[in-house]
Amino acid sequence: MKLEQSFKLNEIPKLVVALLIPLIIGFLGSIATTSQIPTWYATLVKPLWAPPNWVFAPIWTTLFILMGIALYLVWRRGLERRDVRFAILIFAVQLVLNLLWSIVFFSFHSILGGFIVILILWIAILANIIAFYIISKPAGILLVPYIIWVSIASYLNYSLYLLNI
């Protein structure tokens, strides 16, 4: 198996930017989310298997860091490549959908709307994994925990809808 290109010190700014992009989106999503956890979200009937609230922040932070590393691994292949630009576009779309879910679900209190957005997000993540994997196998693999967590979140969102209609 071919190893990724070796890391070069002049790529540190690109790595930092690649990490900051998803972390900033995550921070923006947390603005929509945090105030709603002890208020609106606390009033919802939740399934017995729902994760405790404290696990969400460390899991999402880890996932955003993995996304940033994956973005860096693809971006370093060169924006002059059409496949790289297309893969990064898919990445941007799924990141916007990720933020949109927080806004629809938490800010608008729309469980059904959130479920629709998260299903579209799941498809976008799958497309992102495939596009990244074609360019950099490690980049695609780094997104697998993300789709696993969003699968769990999708089922939680659906369960919340059923329990609270």
Side-chain angles (χ1 to χ4, degrees), residues 51-66:
N53 293 339
W54 66 266
V55 304
F56 290 95
I59 288 174
W60 275 112
T61 302
T62 302
L63 293 173
F64 286 127
I65 290 168
L66 293 175

Side-chain angles (χ1 to χ4, degrees), residues 106-127:
F106 284 104
S107 295
F108 298 159
H109 300 173
S110 177
I111 301 171
L112 179 58
F115 184 62
I116 293 166
V117 172
I118 207 167
L119 290 179
I120 298 166
L121 171 60
W122 192 94
I123 293 165
I125 295 167
L126 180 60

Side-chain angles (χ1 to χ4, degrees), residues 4 39 57 63 69 97 104 106 124:
E4 286 291 310
T39 56
L63 293 173
I69 295 168
L97 287 166
V104 170
F106 284 104

Side-chain angles (χ1 to χ4, degrees), residues 18-91:
L19 287 166
L20 283 175
I21 290 169
L23 286 169
I24 289 169
I25 294 297
F27 174 73
L28 293 174
S30 75
I31 292 170
T33 304
T34 306
S35 66
Q36 298 302 313
I37 299 286
T39 56
W40 173 74
Y41 188 73
T43 67
L44 297 178
V45 178
K46 295 170 198 64
L48 293 175
W49 58 268
N53 293 339
W54 66 266
V55 304
F56 290 95
I59 288 174
W60 275 112
T61 302
T62 302
L63 293 173
F64 286 127
I65 290 168
L66 293 175
M67 283 184 235
I69 295 168
L71 174 61
Y72 164 76
L73 292 174
V74 169
W75 185 11
R76 76 188 301 225
R77 296 295 177 99
L79 288 177
E80 68 279 353
R81 288 179 46 178
R82 188 173 189 211
D83 61 339
V84 168
R85 290 191 310 272
F86 183 69
I88 291 173
L89 175 64
I90 295 170
F91 180 86

Side-chain angles (χ1 to χ4, degrees), residues 60 64 67 93-102 121 146:
W60 275 112
F64 286 127
M67 283 184 235
V93 167
Q94 68 79 18
L95 210 51
V96 167
L97 287 166
N98 187 303
L99 176 59
L100 183 62
W101 179 85
S102 294
L121 171 60
Y146 180 31

